Structure formats: C-alpha cells, structure tokens
Amino acid sequence: MNIKYLIIMSILLPPATISAEETAEARLANEAAEGVKVWTLKDCIRHAMENNISLKKNQVSILSAQEDVMQSKAALLPTLSASTNQSVGWKPWMNSGMSTVTNGTVVNNVNKTYYNGSYSISSQWTLWNGNRNRNTIKQNRMTLEKAELDSATNANALKEQIADLYVQILYLNEAIKVNQQTLETSKKNEERGREMVEVGKMSKADLAQLTAQTKQDEYNIVSAQAQVDKAKTQLRQILELDANVEFDVYVTEESDESALQVIPSLQTVYDNALATRPEIASGLLAIENQKLGVKIAKAGKLPQISLNASLGTSTTSMNSNDWGKQMKTNFDGMAGLSVSLPLFDNRSTKTNVNKAQLNVINAELDLQNKRKTLYSTIEGYWIDANTNQQKFIAATASVESMQTSYDLLSEQFRLGLKNIVELMTGKNNLVNAQQNKLQSKYMTILDIQMLKFYNGEEGEL
C-alpha cells in the first residue's frame, strides 16, 4: 500500500468512533499493562513542535529577523559618539622654549618632549535619504513575517512527516491483525488436512501445501512487526527522543462511514487554500518585499540630507596655561547641514535597480509556481477521493461475495468435496478483497480529510 495515501488520522482525523473518555481509559489501561507511554498523533506532534531541532532553528531565524527590525528602527535616530586622543611628541632640534625669571635671572627652559590631548563629542542625523531607511524598516518587517510563515510551513511539513510514520504504524498493526486472522484460518485448514490424511482423503503433498501456507502466514506477521519497530524508531528520532525511551502509538480504527462522506468541491477547496496556506502568504510577502527593494535601490539616485554637530577641545604641554584653562580656552562647537547628491556612480545605482526589478519578476514566478503546485495537489486529492470512494464501494461488495464463497469452499473442503487448490485459491481471493477494501477505505478517508485540511476545516493538528 502506498504510504503517501496514509496520512490519515493526522491533520486529519480525530477518532470517529471512540469518545475522549474511552480513549483516555484505553491509554491508561495500556500504559498500566505494558509500562510504556502510549502516544496519540497529537502527543507526537505537540512534542515535536516543542523539541524538534529544525523548528528551534526556525525560531532562531525569527529572533534574528526581529533584531533586524529593531536595528532598522534605531537607524532613524541620530548617532552620538565620544572620542579622545592622547599623544606624545618629540622635537630633537628645538633650541627655544619657555623663558622664566628666577632670582633675577632669565632661565630658558627647552623641553623637547611634549604632550597633546584632544576631546570631542559628535553627532550625525540622517534627515532624508530617499526614504531608504523607512522602506528598510518595512522590508525587515516583511522579512520577519515571512520567517514566521516559513516556520509555519516547515511545521506543517514536519506534521505530515510525523503523520506519515504514525499511520504507517497504524496500517502495519492492521496488517498484523489481518495476518493473524489468516494464520488462524490456515492452522484450522492444516489441522483439518491432517485429519483427512489420516483417513486417506488427502495426500501428504496437499498437506505440505497447507503447512507451507501456515508458515508463510507466520512469516508475514514477523515481517510486519519488524516494519512496525522500524517505523517507531524513525518516529522516535523525529521526536528527538532518547534511544532508551520506549513508547507505543495509540491505535484507532475508522468506520466505513468515514469513507462515504461527501467530497468537498475542488474549486472551493482551492480558493480557501489560496487564502489560508502559509506558503502562498509567504510568496505574496516575497513579492512586496522585492518591490520595496526596488524603492530602496532607486533611493541611490536621490540626494541625502544630514545634520552634523560636534563639541571639542584640546590641550598641550607646550602651552603655559594649566590644563583646565586650556580646556576652556580651546573649547569649540560646530553644527552643520550637509547635502550629498550622486552625479555619477559608474552605473551602480542603475544596476541595483534593474536587479531589484528582476527579483520582483522572479518572486512573481515563484508565487505562480506555488499556486500551480497547490492546485495540482488539491486536484490530485479530489480525483483520488472520487476514484477511491467508488473502489471502496465495489470492494465492500466484493468482500461480502468472497467471504460467502470462501465459507462455502471451507465447508465443502471439510466434507472432502473441494481440493486444496480450490481452497487456497478461495482464501487468496478473500484476502486480496479484504486488502483492497482496507486500502481503498483509508485512501478515500485520507483524500477527503486532506481536502478538508486544505479547505481550512480541520484547524491545527
């Protein structure tokens, strides 16, 4: 059975025939009996949403985008910086310096080493730059929203992956049950065959075929159980569970009525999906984001207006005044308005604008492709839902017919009226009919529920 058709009780189906109380009681009973936690699909998804490493990395990306938004907002404010410079100078051939009078004698003090100090506070404020700063804020906000939508898209993909493995386990458990029932029938036939050999109504060669069929049924059970264990291991890895943590899934069975419900309209599902799917919303945001990129690139052609201001002072050891007086005497302040107009930039701005416009076209094509893929996916589910529903109706009638035929064959075999070949052929026909019914049933349920999921009816998993 194709597992892609088995994402059922996921996104998908709450138990249809079991109440919440019965579910809780069954889980507690199972856990008490086996000492192993029983996980529903919602348990698995809830745990993965909180612990999966890929989703945690998505959250880190969102936090990084939030920082970009705050940084772009802060760029609207003026900058403020303080600086100081201390230096030592040396003039080896200097032969004059400061003269002082000591006891009536003029003393010329030549100091070839001197010290300088400067202190300043400056500020710069971009008043206008072609709205590049404000458009950058909008663009970063869109990038943040897109990161959140991409995270939601990845979360949906993870949910489907978990559901895929979860339903593999459910289906394999059902296969084991069918194989066990088949094994019981094979054992009864083998036992009946032994009795017929003893009274001379069957050859040992025919009995050997019955024995071989019993062993094959035992092998099928072991094989299915091995596949269940493998799927559980893969599910544990996705849930980021330690290898020593044992768990089992809660098994539910869907009623036949679930496969006979009304199939939603294709166009209605598609229209609603366009309005709700995160990947479509992300594609629309990508276009708007690139359009803002065009505006930001065009700002390179426009003048930039900035306000500048600074306060500063300096000192030197070559001045006879003390440090405090020098600080006061040399203090100065400055304020100014600067305008920068690009005249020729080696085609840099034009290239940036052209590339930004191409990015818009590329984003529009990406969205068109997403819409096409979405429609193709929904249409596939819609076609499969109708086809599989008809198959299920036919398979249900086939099982009833094959069951009646096999019951008659079994009775005739016990009476010695049918041979081993006819019995085994009847059994194989019944098993195939049961498998066809089971497959078409779950495929129909999956297709209908996936249509509802894309239609926005099922809500969050």
Side-chain angles (χ1 to χ4, degrees), residues 237-263:
Q237 292 173 348
I238 295 177
L239 296 180
E240 309 291 350
L241 293 175
D242 294 336
N244 59 348
V245 176
E246 296 185 3
F247 76 104
D248 200 357
V249 300
Y250 178 73
V251 179
T252 61
E253 295 182 9
E254 294 299 320
S255 64
D256 290 351
E257 288 74 16
S258 299
L260 299 174
Q261 53 189 308
V262 177
I263 300 173

Side-chain angles (χ1 to χ4, degrees), residues 141 144 158 162 172 280 292 304 329 367 377 452:
R141 284 174 175 168
L144 171 59
L158 181 62
I162 293 172
L172 290 170
I280 300 300
L292 282 174
Q304 177 172 312
T329 303
L367 177 60
T377 301
K452 289 183 177 181

Side-chain angles (χ1 to χ4, degrees), residues 435-452:
Q435 292 291 345
N436 289 337
K437 178 183 177 181
L438 181 64
Q439 180 178 1
S440 59
K441 170 185 173 180
Y442 281 118
M443 288 171 65
T444 303
I445 292 173
L446 166 71
D447 295 329
I448 294 176
Q449 295 303 324
M450 283 301 295
L451 288 171
K452 289 183 177 181

Side-chain angles (χ1 to χ4, degrees), residues 222-240:
V222 173
S223 178
Q225 185 59 55
Q227 294 180 60
V228 170
D229 294 338
K230 182 179 179 180
K232 287 181 180 179
T233 299
Q234 294 174 337
L235 183 57
R236 180 190 294 113
Q237 292 173 348
I238 295 177
L239 296 180
E240 309 291 350

Side-chain angles (χ1 to χ4, degrees), residues 18-221:
I18 302 177
S19 68
E21 292 78 6
E22 292 171 334
T23 298
E25 291 176 0
R27 181 195 296 186
L28 292 175
N30 196 357
E31 291 179 359
E34 301 182 8
V36 178
K37 176 178 173 56
V38 179
W39 296 64
T40 65
L41 180 62
K42 289 186 176 181
D43 291 334
C44 294
I45 291 175
R46 186 183 303 111
H47 185 86
M49 294 301 102
E50 297 174 355
N51 297 277
N52 184 263
I53 293 176
S54 296
L55 292 184
K56 287 184 177 180
K57 293 180 69 174
N58 289 149
Q59 293 302 314
V60 172
S61 298
I62 291 174
L63 293 176
S64 177
Q66 290 176 343
E67 291 296 326
D68 290 337
V69 172
M70 289 188 286
Q71 174 60 47
S72 58
K73 287 182 178 180
L76 296 176
L77 303 175
T79 63
L80 180 64
S81 60
S83 64
T84 181
N85 178 62
Q86 304 296 319
S87 61
V88 178
W90 181 49
K91 295 182 178 182
W93 294 282
M94 183 176 180
N95 53 20
S96 62
M98 293 186 300
S99 298
T100 59
V101 178
T102 305
N103 296 326
T105 303
V106 177
V107 179
N108 188 20
N109 186 16
V110 179
N111 192 347
K112 298 182 179 182
T113 302
Y114 61 95
Y115 305 93
N116 291 330
S118 64
Y119 313 88
S120 66
I121 296 176
S122 61
S123 177
Q124 192 273 336
W125 188 14
T126 300
L127 299 179
W128 193 74
N129 61 355
N131 276 337
R132 182 186 305 169
N133 47 10
R134 288 174 173 79
N135 285 329
T136 299
I137 294 175
K138 295 178 182 178
Q139 192 176 54
N140 287 337
R141 284 174 175 168
M142 287 185 179
T143 300
L144 171 59
E145 188 174 353
K146 187 175 184 299
E148 293 171 344
L149 289 171
D150 290 342
S151 178
T153 301
N154 293 336
N156 281 343
L158 181 62
K159 291 175 183 179
E160 293 183 5
Q161 186 179 6
I162 293 172
D164 187 9
L165 287 170
Y166 190 92
V167 177
Q168 284 187 48
I169 297 172
L170 297 182
Y171 177 71
L172 290 170
N173 281 329
E174 287 297 313
I176 291 175
K177 292 180 181 179
V178 172
N179 289 333
Q180 287 173 340
Q181 294 173 357
T182 303
L183 176 60
E184 291 301 318
T185 301
S186 296
K187 287 181 177 180
K188 291 179 180 179
N189 289 337
E190 182 182 5
E191 182 62 29
R192 177 57 179 164
R194 293 182 189 279
E195 295 174 357
M196 296 177 71
V197 168
E198 292 177 357
V199 297
K201 292 185 178 181
M202 178 182 289
S203 67
K204 291 185 178 180
D206 288 341
L207 177 60
Q209 292 186 52
L210 291 175
T211 302
Q213 181 63 54
T214 301
K215 298 303 179 184
Q216 180 62 45
D217 292 339
E218 291 176 348
Y219 172 82
N220 292 338
I221 293 175

